[in-house]
């Protein structure tokens, strides 16, 4: 199985994606028309929507969560390595909200699934950097952010032998072609972590 390319258009197929700090990579199966960015994100355009990334997947880790996603600079906190800690931190974040987590299996590993979205009206211009910082791989910058009121993500956070890995599927807003949204969900559902047991 080939590794996911760092960037650019990718062929339909199944790819291996390493997770920083983990021995277990995961597999993701992608149809045609998708592209990769930074080796840990996938996206696809909707020709009828102006956004470049109409639907997207993010793959990897999320070590820091901002309690206030608007005033996040200097306030990203490390809530520990567990899947439960990430779920709790995301549920406590403002001005976003999460649905109650549901237990899931991702390949050989257990975890949780929940939706995450903006709650209420937000003045993005008043936020640090003009964006909501959702989580990050470092405490000095932002790795995952929302730039619009209508972004919506579904997360799966998996316990890999005491450390978490995080995958998410999202869309810019609800005007995206429903077929494309279903395709993105199918890619998300294809993700499984390989076990070396």
């Amino acid at each position: 199985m080939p590794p996911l390319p760092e960037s650019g258009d990718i062929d339909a197929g199944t790819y291996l994606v390493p997770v920083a700090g983990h021995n277990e990579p995961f597999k993701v199966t992608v149809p045609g028309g998708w592209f990769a960015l930074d080796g840990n994100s996938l996206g696809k355009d909707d020709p009828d929507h102006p956004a470049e990334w109409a639907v997207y997947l993010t793959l990897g880790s999320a070590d820091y969560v901002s309690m206030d996603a608007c005033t996040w600079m200097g306030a990203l906190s490390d809530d520990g390595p567990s899947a439960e800690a990430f779920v709790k931190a995301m549920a406590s974040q403002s001005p976003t909200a999460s649905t109650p987590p549901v237990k899931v299996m991702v390949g050989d590993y257990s975890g949780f699934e929940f939706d995450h979205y903006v709650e209420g009206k937000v003045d993005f211009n008043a936020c640090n950097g003009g964006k909501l910082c959702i989580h990050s791989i470092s405490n000095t910058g932002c790795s995952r952010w929302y730039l619009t009121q209508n972004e919506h993500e579904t997360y799966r956070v998996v316990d890999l032998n005491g450390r978490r890995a995080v995958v998410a599927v999202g869309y810019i807003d609800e005007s995206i072609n429903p077929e494309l949204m279903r395709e993105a969900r199918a890619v998300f559902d294809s993700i499984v972590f390989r076990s070396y047991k």
Side-chain angles (χ1 to χ4, degrees):
M1 239 171 283
L4 184 71
E6 281 291 316
S7 61
D9 294 340
I10 57 176
D11 295 329
T14 299
Y15 296 88
L16 282 181
V17 184
V19 181
H22 302 288
N23 292 325
E24 301 88 352
F26 59 84
K27 298 188 298 182
V28 59
T29 301
V30 184
W34 285 73
F35 54 89
L37 180 68
D38 297 333
N40 62 5
S41 298
L42 296 166
K44 190 169 185 178
D45 295 336
D46 181 343
D48 297 321
H49 195 282
E52 181 181 4
W53 286 53
V55 293
Y56 52 86
L57 281 87
T58 55
L59 322 161
S61 59
D63 299 322
Y64 298 88
V65 176
S66 54
M67 292 301 90
D68 185 332
C70 187
T71 56
W72 55 270
M73 286 185 179
L76 289 160
S77 62
D78 179 357
D79 294 295
S82 72
E84 291 87 349
F86 181 78
V87 171
K88 184 177 179 181
M90 292 285 278
S92 300
Q93 185 181 78
S94 64
T96 62
S98 294
T99 58
V102 176
K103 289 185 177 181
V104 293
M105 293 296 294
V106 184
D108 296 329
Y109 296 94
S110 64
F112 300 94
E113 181 175 318
F114 60 92
D115 289 356
H116 201 69
Y117 52 91
V118 180
E119 186 173 54
K121 293 293 182 183
V122 176
D123 180 3
F124 281 75
N125 293 323
C127 295
N128 296 159
K131 59 191 175 187
L132 294 182
C133 182
I134 307 305
H135 54 75
S136 184
I137 58 173
S138 78
N139 64 354
T140 57
C142 188
S143 303
R144 179 70 197 107
W145 58 83
Y146 296 168
L147 293 175
T148 71
Q149 183 79 35
N150 299 315
E151 291 190 54
H152 184 109
E153 292 181 292
T154 299
Y155 280 87
R156 284 184 184 151
V157 53
V158 181
D159 180 2
L160 296 183
N161 301 321
R163 291 189 58 82
R164 69 176 175 241
V166 178
V167 296
V169 60
Y171 55 83
I172 295 296
D173 60 52
E174 292 183 350
S175 69
I176 301 301
N177 184 325
E179 286 296 327
L180 183 55
M181 291 168 68
R182 281 191 284 273
E183 182 178 306
R185 178 67 196 212
V187 174
F188 183 63
D189 288 340
S190 80
I191 294 171
V192 293
F193 286 88
R194 292 184 63 184
S195 172
Y196 293 126
K197 297 173 186 175

PDB file of all heavy atoms in Angstrom, residues 68-80:
ATOM      1  N   ASP A  68     -11.415  28.830  24.427  1.00  0.00           N
ATOM      2  CA  ASP A  68     -12.144  29.867  23.700  1.00  0.00           C
ATOM      3  C   ASP A  68     -11.527  29.928  22.316  1.00  0.00           C
ATOM      4  O   ASP A  68     -10.403  30.410  22.139  1.00  0.00           O
ATOM      5  CB  ASP A  68     -12.034  31.217  24.401  1.00  0.00           C
ATOM      6  CG  ASP A  68     -12.885  32.297  23.732  1.00  0.00           C
ATOM      7  OD1 ASP A  68     -13.114  32.207  22.510  1.00  0.00           O
ATOM      8  OD2 ASP A  68     -13.317  33.229  24.425  1.00  0.00           O
ATOM      9  N   ALA A  69     -12.235  29.411  21.337  1.00  0.00           N
ATOM     10  CA  ALA A  69     -11.683  29.291  19.991  1.00  0.00           C
ATOM     11  C   ALA A  69     -11.465  30.645  19.331  1.00  0.00           C
ATOM     12  O   ALA A  69     -10.713  30.738  18.361  1.00  0.00           O
ATOM     13  CB  ALA A  69     -12.609  28.437  19.127  1.00  0.00           C
ATOM     14  N   CYS A  70     -12.086  31.703  19.853  1.00  0.00           N
ATOM     15  CA  CYS A  70     -11.925  33.036  19.286  1.00  0.00           C
ATOM     16  C   CYS A  70     -10.673  33.721  19.835  1.00  0.00           C
ATOM     17  O   CYS A  70      -9.892  34.299  19.091  1.00  0.00           O
ATOM     18  CB  CYS A  70     -13.177  33.858  19.572  1.00  0.00           C
ATOM     19  SG  CYS A  70     -13.214  35.481  18.757  1.00  0.00           S
ATOM     20  N   THR A  71     -10.464  33.659  21.141  1.00  0.00           N
ATOM     21  CA  THR A  71      -9.275  34.261  21.763  1.00  0.00           C
ATOM     22  C   THR A  71      -8.325  33.135  22.152  1.00  0.00           C
ATOM     23  O   THR A  71      -8.155  32.813  23.321  1.00  0.00           O
ATOM     24  CB  THR A  71      -9.662  35.123  22.979  1.00  0.00           C
ATOM     25  OG1 THR A  71     -10.408  34.325  23.901  1.00  0.00           O
ATOM     26  CG2 THR A  71     -10.504  36.313  22.557  1.00  0.00           C
ATOM     27  N   TRP A  72      -7.703  32.553  21.140  1.00  0.00           N
ATOM     28  CA  TRP A  72      -6.922  31.327  21.322  1.00  0.00           C
ATOM     29  C   TRP A  72      -5.427  31.565  21.448  1.00  0.00           C
ATOM     30  O   TRP A  72      -4.717  30.706  21.970  1.00  0.00           O
ATOM     31  CB  TRP A  72      -7.178  30.389  20.150  1.00  0.00           C
ATOM     32  CG  TRP A  72      -6.909  30.987  18.805  1.00  0.00           C
ATOM     33  CD1 TRP A  72      -7.802  31.657  18.016  1.00  0.00           C
ATOM     34  CD2 TRP A  72      -5.671  30.984  18.089  1.00  0.00           C
ATOM     35  NE1 TRP A  72      -7.197  32.064  16.853  1.00  0.00           N
ATOM     36  CE2 TRP A  72      -5.889  31.668  16.870  1.00  0.00           C
ATOM     37  CE3 TRP A  72      -4.411  30.454  18.346  1.00  0.00           C
ATOM     38  CZ2 TRP A  72      -4.891  31.853  15.923  1.00  0.00           C
ATOM     39  CZ3 TRP A  72      -3.400  30.635  17.412  1.00  0.00           C
ATOM     40  CH2 TRP A  72      -3.644  31.326  16.218  1.00  0.00           C
ATOM     41  N   MET A  73      -4.911  32.691  20.989  1.00  0.00           N
ATOM     42  CA  MET A  73      -3.466  32.912  21.032  1.00  0.00           C
ATOM     43  C   MET A  73      -2.967  32.915  22.476  1.00  0.00           C
ATOM     44  O   MET A  73      -3.477  33.649  23.324  1.00  0.00           O
ATOM     45  CB  MET A  73      -3.103  34.226  20.336  1.00  0.00           C
ATOM     46  CG  MET A  73      -3.197  34.170  18.830  1.00  0.00           C
ATOM     47  SD  MET A  73      -2.624  35.700  18.069  1.00  0.00           S
ATOM     48  CE  MET A  73      -2.829  35.297  16.341  1.00  0.00           C
ATOM     49  N   GLY A  74      -1.992  32.064  22.741  1.00  0.00           N
ATOM     50  CA  GLY A  74      -1.446  31.949  24.088  1.00  0.00           C
ATOM     51  C   GLY A  74      -2.331  31.197  25.047  1.00  0.00           C
ATOM     52  O   GLY A  74      -2.053  31.148  26.244  1.00  0.00           O
ATOM     53  N   ALA A  75      -3.405  30.600  24.540  1.00  0.00           N
ATOM     54  CA  ALA A  75      -4.357  29.932  25.437  1.00  0.00           C
ATOM     55  C   ALA A  75      -4.726  28.533  24.960  1.00  0.00           C
ATOM     56  O   ALA A  75      -5.813  28.045  25.253  1.00  0.00           O
ATOM     57  CB  ALA A  75      -5.631  30.778  25.568  1.00  0.00           C
ATOM     58  N   LEU A  76      -3.819  27.875  24.218  1.00  0.00           N
ATOM     59  CA  LEU A  76      -4.046  26.495  23.803  1.00  0.00           C
ATOM     60  C   LEU A  76      -3.570  25.575  24.917  1.00  0.00           C
ATOM     61  O   LEU A  76      -2.450  25.702  25.398  1.00  0.00           O
ATOM     62  CB  LEU A  76      -3.285  26.196  22.515  1.00  0.00           C
ATOM     63  CG  LEU A  76      -3.831  26.881  21.257  1.00  0.00           C
ATOM     64  CD1 LEU A  76      -2.779  26.930  20.168  1.00  0.00           C
ATOM     65  CD2 LEU A  76      -5.067  26.165  20.759  1.00  0.00           C
ATOM     66  N   SER A  77      -4.432  24.668  25.353  1.00  0.00           N
ATOM     67  CA  SER A  77      -4.097  23.833  26.511  1.00  0.00           C
ATOM     68  C   SER A  77      -3.940  22.374  26.118  1.00  0.00           C
ATOM     69  O   SER A  77      -4.638  21.867  25.243  1.00  0.00           O
ATOM     70  CB  SER A  77      -5.174  23.968  27.592  1.00  0.00           C
ATOM     71  OG  SER A  77      -6.425  23.523  27.115  1.00  0.00           O
ATOM     72  N   ASP A  78      -2.993  21.721  26.786  1.00  0.00           N
ATOM     73  CA  ASP A  78      -2.752  20.290  26.620  1.00  0.00           C
ATOM     74  C   ASP A  78      -3.579  19.562  27.667  1.00  0.00           C
ATOM     75  O   ASP A  78      -3.316  19.680  28.865  1.00  0.00           O
ATOM     76  CB  ASP A  78      -1.263  19.997  26.799  1.00  0.00           C
ATOM     77  CG  ASP A  78      -0.932  18.516  26.660  1.00  0.00           C
ATOM     78  OD1 ASP A  78      -1.865  17.713  26.488  1.00  0.00           O
ATOM     79  OD2 ASP A  78       0.257  18.180  26.720  1.00  0.00           O
ATOM     80  N   ASP A  79      -4.593  18.835  27.220  1.00  0.00           N
ATOM     81  CA  ASP A  79      -5.498  18.176  28.156  1.00  0.00           C
ATOM     82  C   ASP A  79      -5.185  16.703  28.336  1.00  0.00           C
ATOM     83  O   ASP A  79      -6.027  15.940  28.785  1.00  0.00           O
ATOM     84  CB  ASP A  79      -6.949  18.360  27.686  1.00  0.00           C
ATOM     85  CG  ASP A  79      -7.374  19.817  27.761  1.00  0.00           C
ATOM     86  OD1 ASP A  79      -7.444  20.350  28.884  1.00  0.00           O
ATOM     87  OD2 ASP A  79      -7.596  20.422  26.716  1.00  0.00           O
ATOM     88  N   GLY A  80      -3.970  16.303  27.996  1.00  0.00           N
ATOM     89  CA  GLY A  80      -3.591  14.910  28.176  1.00  0.00           C
ATOM     90  C   GLY A  80      -3.781  14.113  26.912  1.00  0.00           C
ATOM     91  O   GLY A  80      -4.430  14.555  25.964  1.00  0.00           O
TER      92      GLY A  80
END
